[in-house]
Amino acid sequence: MRTAVTADIHANLEALLAVLARIEAIGADEIMCLGDIVGYNADPNLCADIVRSRNIRCVLGNHDACAAGLEEPDGFNPVAQRAVLWTRDKLTDENRLFLRSLPREQRVGDLFLFHGSIHDTNRYILYMNDALDNFTMLAAMGKSLRIGFFGHTHEKAALSFDHGAVSVELWPDLKLAEEKRYLINPGSVGQPRDGDPRASFLVYDTDGHRVTFNRVEYNVHACQDKIIRAGLPSWLAERLASGT
Ligand code: ZN
């Protein structure tokens, strides 16, 4: 079985459609999203409509929580705050309720899906001690949990845990070892920050025990135009071109 894993779509319709087309070409059996469907870019409703209508298995992101009125964006930088309050204003009732209904984390067989950190949507996994904390929490939830999929940093990452030590694994193709646990971030669909502007996602092949990272080009200009026309901060458009 092939599972496509996406994260941080952030209301970027062009990137989302390009990723879904690639997933269709690859032939995935299921699509998952690790939160932040909305925020930053200008198509929150169309992106939420697609995620809902395609039954994409999804957890709540910090931008989703603020846009849906579950939290206030007090810790956000001024640009992110402006965008999330704009999004809150634009969301249809249907999409607000949809975002409010999302679980913060979800267990699916030997997978655990969450946005930022286990039990904390707003916290990042950036450093080795963050990874160690999350591997400890993953282990505490049961032996059968092998992989934690997370987003929030907008940078792809694959970390493994074996005999008390965390290692950084190499991409783009990762063969999973039976005895290890993994924390894996597919990168961001709608606002990559690793210097590569192409939309990012991964495919997990459960039979071959393999994770493959993918990048897809999309129409960045169309997305930028919408951001400017919507009156959102121009930096949000500029950063898409550089992937930062
Ligand atoms: Zn995000």
Side-chain angles (χ1 to χ4, degrees):
M1 179 168 157
R2 283 194 187 129
T3 301
V5 184
T6 68
D8 296 285
I9 295 165
H10 282 298
N12 185 334
L13 179 68
E14 288 72 23
L16 176 60
L17 292 175
V19 163
L20 291 176
R22 177 69 65 83
I23 289 171
E24 190 135 353
I26 291 169
D29 303 285
E30 186 177 11
I31 307 176
M32 298 176 174
C33 172
L34 307 171
D36 279 2
I37 301 165
V38 303
Y40 291 129
N41 300 310
D43 278 317
N45 284 309
L46 291 174
C47 288
D49 289 346
I50 290 171
V51 170
R52 265 191 309 122
S53 66
R54 297 191 55 146
N55 285 322
I56 293 175
R57 189 192 289 273
C58 204
V59 293
L60 182 84
N62 58 321
H63 286 253
D64 302 324
C66 289
L70 293 169
E71 290 175 13
E72 291 306 317
D74 300 327
F76 282 33
N77 70 53
V79 169
Q81 199 171 84
R82 233 178 97 188
V84 86
L85 294 175
W86 177 90
T87 305
R88 186 185 280 181
D89 193 47
K90 296 285 183 249
L91 275 183
T92 62
D93 290 344
E94 214 171 9
N95 283 330
R96 186 178 310 105
L97 286 173
F98 167 63
L99 294 179
R100 281 175 170 259
S101 76
L102 295 175
R104 285 184 186 263
E105 39 198 41
Q106 211 177 140
R107 189 179 185 142
V108 187
D110 61 352
L111 311 178
F112 195 68
L113 317 182
F114 58 98
H115 182 64
S117 275
I118 293 174
H119 311 325
D120 191 343
T121 309
N122 287 284
R123 211 182 130 195
Y124 292 89
I125 299 178
L126 281 175
Y127 305 107
M128 282 301 173
N129 58 330
D130 305 321
L132 206 52
D133 286 352
N134 277 272
F135 276 122
T136 305
M137 289 187 274
L138 195 65
M141 284 186 292
K143 268 197 172 146
S144 62
L145 283 176
R146 256 182 98 210
I147 310 176
F149 281 123
F150 69 101
H152 197 38
T153 65
H154 297 208
E155 289 189 35
K156 62 186 187 298
L159 304 158
S160 66
F161 185 75
D162 190 23
H163 289 99
V166 177
S167 308
V168 178
E169 298 283 346
L170 296 175
W171 336 292
D173 201 1
L174 175 67
K175 173 89 177 139
L176 303 182
E178 187 89 27
E179 69 281 7
K180 295 183 182 177
R181 281 202 161 86
Y182 294 88
L183 286 170
I184 302 178
N185 185 330
S188 168
V189 170
Q191 195 195 75
R193 293 182 193 159
D194 56 0
D196 182 344
R198 295 175 300 168
S200 189
F201 72 100
L202 66 78
V203 175
Y204 172 42
D205 178 348
T206 55
D207 302 320
H209 305 289
R210 198 171 277 283
V211 167
T212 310
F213 289 87
N214 288 269
R215 300 305 285 246
V216 188
E217 285 191 21
Y218 71 94
N219 190 341
V220 173
H221 294 300
C223 185
Q224 289 174 313
D225 278 353
K226 290 180 188 172
I227 290 167
I228 302 301
R229 271 189 277 129
L232 287 163
S234 60
W235 181 59
L236 293 174
E238 287 156 24
R239 68 187 303 179
L240 292 178
S242 53
T244 52

